[in-house]
Amino acid sequence: MIRSFLAIFAVALALVGCTSEPPRVGPDGRPLPKIYWIKPKDEARIQYRMLDGINALRTAAGLQPVELDPLLTAAAATHSRDMSVQNRPWHFGSDGSSPLDRVRRTGYPGRFLGENISETYENELDTLAAWMEDEATRRVILDPEARRVGIAWFQEPTGKIWWTLVTGS
């Protein structure tokens, strides 16, 4: 009886092992990140979820909330796509443009205050949390002069997401 039970248990255990997929690893042997896919129908929800997160952080810090601005969002979207083309996260465009140049090109009437960027596979709230862990990017989010924000991203077919956040007065 015990042998039969152990045999059945061993077979069941082997079958369970066959159904689970081993973790994917990269060439360096480290686990690959889980890809967060952004569907077109989710774009507005994602943008406003990040905005709500930013405003919750600003409110907790005693600051005024910011509003989503289409011109700052256009500058952010341009840079997210361009970072993907360049395959590097940095603040300068492939044409040599600075964040200030990109904001001016949109016709934004206010003052440019700051820009945060990220190259990641993480969702919007994980990206916001990572920005809050760094003093320089946290300062952009919690700038007391900020009244407007642009939030955009570009997702490559591989799943990599290039996030850009731009703030203005």
Side-chain angles (χ1 to χ4, degrees), residues 2 44 54 58 61 71 94 103-104 115 118 128 141-142 151 160 162 166:
I2 292 177
I54 290 166
R58 289 179 62 83
L71 296 176
S94 55
V103 167
R104 283 183 180 157
E115 178 182 76
S118 180
L128 180 57
I141 294 165
L142 299 180
I151 302 164
K160 184 188 294 185
W162 300 86
V166 179

mmCIF file of all heavy atoms in Angstrom, residues 2 44 54 58 61 71 94 103-104 115 118 128 141-142 151 160 162 166:
data_model
loop_
_atom_site.group_PDB
_atom_site.id
_atom_site.type_symbol
_atom_site.label_atom_id
_atom_site.label_comp_id
_atom_site.label_asym_id
_atom_site.label_seq_id
_atom_site.Cartn_x
_atom_site.Cartn_y
_atom_site.Cartn_z
ATOM 1 N N ILE A 2 1.887 1.277 0.884
ATOM 2 C CA ILE A 2 2.765 2.442 0.970
ATOM 3 C C ILE A 2 3.571 2.577 -0.317
ATOM 4 O O ILE A 2 3.742 3.690 -0.822
ATOM 5 C CB ILE A 2 3.675 2.348 2.209
ATOM 6 C CG1 ILE A 2 2.831 2.476 3.468
ATOM 7 C CG2 ILE A 2 4.751 3.411 2.179
ATOM 8 C CD1 ILE A 2 3.608 2.328 4.748
ATOM 9 N N ALA A 44 -4.526 55.275 -22.008
ATOM 10 C CA ALA A 44 -5.042 56.375 -21.173
ATOM 11 C C ALA A 44 -5.054 55.975 -19.704
ATOM 12 O O ALA A 44 -4.685 56.759 -18.831
ATOM 13 C CB ALA A 44 -6.443 56.784 -21.627
ATOM 14 N N ILE A 54 1.793 60.265 -9.112
ATOM 15 C CA ILE A 54 2.580 61.496 -8.945
ATOM 16 C C ILE A 54 1.849 62.452 -8.007
ATOM 17 O O ILE A 54 2.441 63.006 -7.077
ATOM 18 C CB ILE A 54 2.842 62.160 -10.311
ATOM 19 C CG1 ILE A 54 3.817 61.320 -11.128
ATOM 20 C CG2 ILE A 54 3.359 63.591 -10.142
ATOM 21 C CD1 ILE A 54 3.889 61.710 -12.598
ATOM 22 N N ARG A 58 2.931 64.033 -4.444
ATOM 23 C CA ARG A 58 3.014 65.488 -4.271
ATOM 24 C C ARG A 58 2.118 65.950 -3.115
ATOM 25 O O ARG A 58 2.519 66.789 -2.312
ATOM 26 C CB ARG A 58 2.633 66.203 -5.575
ATOM 27 C CG ARG A 58 3.696 66.030 -6.666
ATOM 28 C CD ARG A 58 3.301 66.717 -7.958
ATOM 29 N NE ARG A 58 3.153 68.150 -7.779
ATOM 30 C CZ ARG A 58 4.150 69.030 -7.812
ATOM 31 N NH1 ARG A 58 5.381 68.622 -8.027
ATOM 32 N NH2 ARG A 58 3.912 70.315 -7.658
ATOM 33 N N ALA A 61 3.613 65.272 0.134
ATOM 34 C CA ALA A 61 4.720 66.192 0.410
ATOM 35 C C ALA A 61 4.230 67.621 0.627
ATOM 36 O O ALA A 61 5.038 68.546 0.762
ATOM 37 C CB ALA A 61 5.729 66.148 -0.740
ATOM 38 N N LEU A 71 1.017 69.137 -24.689
ATOM 39 C CA LEU A 71 2.264 69.568 -25.332
ATOM 40 C C LEU A 71 3.479 68.947 -24.644
ATOM 41 O O LEU A 71 4.415 68.504 -25.318
ATOM 42 C CB LEU A 71 2.359 71.100 -25.347
ATOM 43 C CG LEU A 71 1.280 71.807 -26.176
ATOM 44 C CD1 LEU A 71 1.395 73.316 -26.039
ATOM 45 C CD2 LEU A 71 1.353 71.382 -27.637
ATOM 46 N N SER A 94 18.685 62.338 -30.756
ATOM 47 C CA SER A 94 19.631 61.928 -31.799
ATOM 48 C C SER A 94 20.035 63.116 -32.670
ATOM 49 O O SER A 94 21.070 63.079 -33.329
ATOM 50 C CB SER A 94 19.037 60.813 -32.656
ATOM 51 O OG SER A 94 17.793 61.210 -33.187
ATOM 52 N N VAL A 103 10.688 70.633 -25.645
ATOM 53 C CA VAL A 103 9.500 71.304 -25.084
ATOM 54 C C VAL A 103 9.188 72.566 -25.894
ATOM 55 O O VAL A 103 8.025 72.828 -26.216
ATOM 56 C CB VAL A 103 9.711 71.611 -23.585
ATOM 57 C CG1 VAL A 103 8.648 72.563 -23.060
ATOM 58 C CG2 VAL A 103 9.713 70.313 -22.782
ATOM 59 N N ARG A 104 10.200 73.326 -26.250
ATOM 60 C CA ARG A 104 9.979 74.545 -27.060
ATOM 61 C C ARG A 104 9.373 74.204 -28.421
ATOM 62 O O ARG A 104 8.513 74.932 -28.921
ATOM 63 C CB ARG A 104 11.288 75.298 -27.260
ATOM 64 C CG ARG A 104 11.718 76.079 -26.059
ATOM 65 C CD ARG A 104 12.979 76.859 -26.350
ATOM 66 N NE ARG A 104 13.401 77.618 -25.189
ATOM 67 C CZ ARG A 104 14.629 78.033 -24.982
ATOM 68 N NH1 ARG A 104 15.571 77.777 -25.867
ATOM 69 N NH2 ARG A 104 14.926 78.723 -23.905
ATOM 70 N N GLU A 115 13.049 66.660 -16.542
ATOM 71 C CA GLU A 115 12.727 65.471 -17.318
ATOM 72 C C GLU A 115 13.285 64.249 -16.603
ATOM 73 O O GLU A 115 14.415 64.259 -16.132
ATOM 74 C CB GLU A 115 13.353 65.579 -18.713
ATOM 75 C CG GLU A 115 13.117 64.372 -19.595
ATOM 76 C CD GLU A 115 13.782 64.499 -20.943
ATOM 77 O OE1 GLU A 115 15.023 64.342 -21.035
ATOM 78 O OE2 GLU A 115 13.051 64.766 -21.922
ATOM 79 N N SER A 118 13.599 56.550 -18.379
ATOM 80 C CA SER A 118 13.864 55.203 -17.901
ATOM 81 C C SER A 118 13.821 54.221 -19.053
ATOM 82 O O SER A 118 12.996 54.339 -19.954
ATOM 83 C CB SER A 118 12.819 54.812 -16.851
ATOM 84 O OG SER A 118 13.066 53.514 -16.373
ATOM 85 N N LEU A 128 7.766 54.769 -11.570
ATOM 86 C CA LEU A 128 7.613 55.923 -10.682
ATOM 87 C C LEU A 128 8.307 55.668 -9.346
ATOM 88 O O LEU A 128 9.004 56.537 -8.816
ATOM 89 C CB LEU A 128 6.133 56.241 -10.477
ATOM 90 C CG LEU A 128 5.780 57.423 -9.573
ATOM 91 C CD1 LEU A 128 6.438 58.712 -10.062
ATOM 92 C CD2 LEU A 128 4.267 57.577 -9.490
ATOM 93 N N ILE A 141 9.939 65.205 -9.833
ATOM 94 C CA ILE A 141 8.546 64.879 -9.512
ATOM 95 C C ILE A 141 7.988 65.789 -8.428
ATOM 96 O O ILE A 141 6.832 66.198 -8.477
ATOM 97 C CB ILE A 141 8.440 63.396 -9.091
ATOM 98 C CG1 ILE A 141 8.777 62.502 -10.294
ATOM 99 C CG2 ILE A 141 7.064 63.060 -8.529
ATOM 100 C CD1 ILE A 141 9.056 61.063 -9.943
ATOM 101 N N LEU A 142 8.823 66.133 -7.460
ATOM 102 C CA LEU A 142 8.364 66.932 -6.321
ATOM 103 C C LEU A 142 8.777 68.401 -6.421
ATOM 104 O O LEU A 142 8.830 69.101 -5.403
ATOM 105 C CB LEU A 142 8.887 66.320 -5.013
ATOM 106 C CG LEU A 142 8.421 64.893 -4.709
ATOM 107 C CD1 LEU A 142 9.018 64.406 -3.391
ATOM 108 C CD2 LEU A 142 6.903 64.791 -4.702
ATOM 109 N N ILE A 151 3.567 62.740 -19.797
ATOM 110 C CA ILE A 151 3.939 61.356 -19.506
ATOM 111 C C ILE A 151 3.783 60.559 -20.798
ATOM 112 O O ILE A 151 2.710 60.558 -21.395
ATOM 113 C CB ILE A 151 3.032 60.744 -18.423
ATOM 114 C CG1 ILE A 151 3.085 61.568 -17.138
ATOM 115 C CG2 ILE A 151 3.396 59.285 -18.178
ATOM 116 C CD1 ILE A 151 1.961 61.267 -16.167
ATOM 117 N N LYS A 160 10.700 45.974 -24.214
ATOM 118 C CA LYS A 160 11.394 47.050 -23.489
ATOM 119 C C LYS A 160 10.600 48.340 -23.609
ATOM 120 O O LYS A 160 10.085 48.667 -24.676
ATOM 121 C CB LYS A 160 12.793 47.269 -24.058
ATOM 122 C CG LYS A 160 13.593 48.297 -23.274
ATOM 123 C CD LYS A 160 14.900 48.658 -23.946
ATOM 124 C CE LYS A 160 15.839 47.499 -23.994
ATOM 125 N NZ LYS A 160 17.161 47.874 -24.544
ATOM 126 N N TRP A 162 10.535 52.505 -22.943
ATOM 127 C CA TRP A 162 11.300 53.742 -22.753
ATOM 128 C C TRP A 162 10.328 54.790 -22.217
ATOM 129 O O TRP A 162 9.463 55.263 -22.948
ATOM 130 C CB TRP A 162 11.909 54.185 -24.079
ATOM 131 C CG TRP A 162 12.833 53.164 -24.675
ATOM 132 C CD1 TRP A 162 12.477 52.112 -25.475
ATOM 133 C CD2 TRP A 162 14.235 53.076 -24.495
ATOM 134 N NE1 TRP A 162 13.581 51.392 -25.802
ATOM 135 C CE2 TRP A 162 14.683 51.952 -25.221
ATOM 136 C CE3 TRP A 162 15.166 53.841 -23.783
ATOM 137 C CZ2 TRP A 162 16.010 51.572 -25.265
ATOM 138 C CZ3 TRP A 162 16.488 53.471 -23.832
ATOM 139 C CH2 TRP A 162 16.906 52.339 -24.562
ATOM 140 N N VAL A 166 8.021 64.715 -18.315
ATOM 141 C CA VAL A 166 8.488 66.093 -18.457
ATOM 142 C C VAL A 166 7.595 66.976 -17.590
ATOM 143 O O VAL A 166 6.373 66.843 -17.612
ATOM 144 C CB VAL A 166 8.422 66.568 -19.926
ATOM 145 C CG1 VAL A 166 8.895 68.007 -20.047
ATOM 146 C CG2 VAL A 166 9.240 65.660 -20.827
#
